Amino acid sequence: MAAIPEFTAKYIMLSEDGYFRFKFFCGLCENAHTTGLISAASGYEAFKLAANEARKYFNRCRKCCKWVCDRHYNEDEMACDCCAPRSKQK
């Protein structure tokens, strides 16, 4: 079985009162998923937890490897809309 590629969408990290919050962005638009507050010993540990949560909201293009939101993902081709535009006849 092939290893699942690590989730590396564009993100920002915020620290609030000892907790972490992350905002992950689509590789093609400004759509984002914001995590809840995360309690962790370090920013790295918080990132791992946040990435596992946010990964559900993004898809990895099999051609260019960008992480994109559902709106910009062509499921038929398993690629982003830039690499595999959808036909308008559906």
Side-chain angles (χ1 to χ4, degrees), residues 7-14 21-25 43 47:
F7 182 70
T8 56
K10 176 183 165 186
Y11 70 94
I12 57 173
M13 179 181 76
L14 306 167
R21 183 185 306 269
F22 291 80
K23 192 170 193 175
F24 292 89
F25 297 90
F47 173 78

Side-chain angles (χ1 to χ4, degrees), residues 14-45:
L14 306 167
S15 180
E16 302 175 23
D17 297 325
Y19 294 91
F20 298 93
R21 183 185 306 269
F22 291 80
K23 192 170 193 175
F24 292 89
F25 297 90
C26 171
L28 296 179
C29 72
E30 291 301 313
N31 283 346
H33 169 75
T34 303
T35 66
L37 291 175
I38 297 171
S39 176
S42 69
Y44 178 73
E45 290 298 318

Side-chain angles (χ1 to χ4, degrees), residues 33-89:
H33 169 75
T34 303
T35 66
L37 291 175
I38 297 171
S39 176
S42 69
Y44 178 73
E45 290 298 318
F47 173 78
K48 290 193 316 186
L49 294 169
N52 283 336
E53 175 188 327
R55 188 178 190 145
K56 297 180 272 187
Y57 301 97
F58 297 92
N59 305 281
R60 183 173 181 261
C61 176
R62 300 287 172 132
K63 295 181 181 182
C64 70
C65 299
K66 286 182 185 171
W67 288 92
V68 298
C69 64
D70 288 340
R71 190 173 93 198
H72 290 105
Y73 190 68
N74 181 340
E75 290 182 355
D76 294 335
E77 299 294 327
M78 297 180 72
C80 70
D81 285 344
C82 288
C83 293
R86 294 176 229 199
S87 69
K88 295 185 185 202
Q89 295 179 331

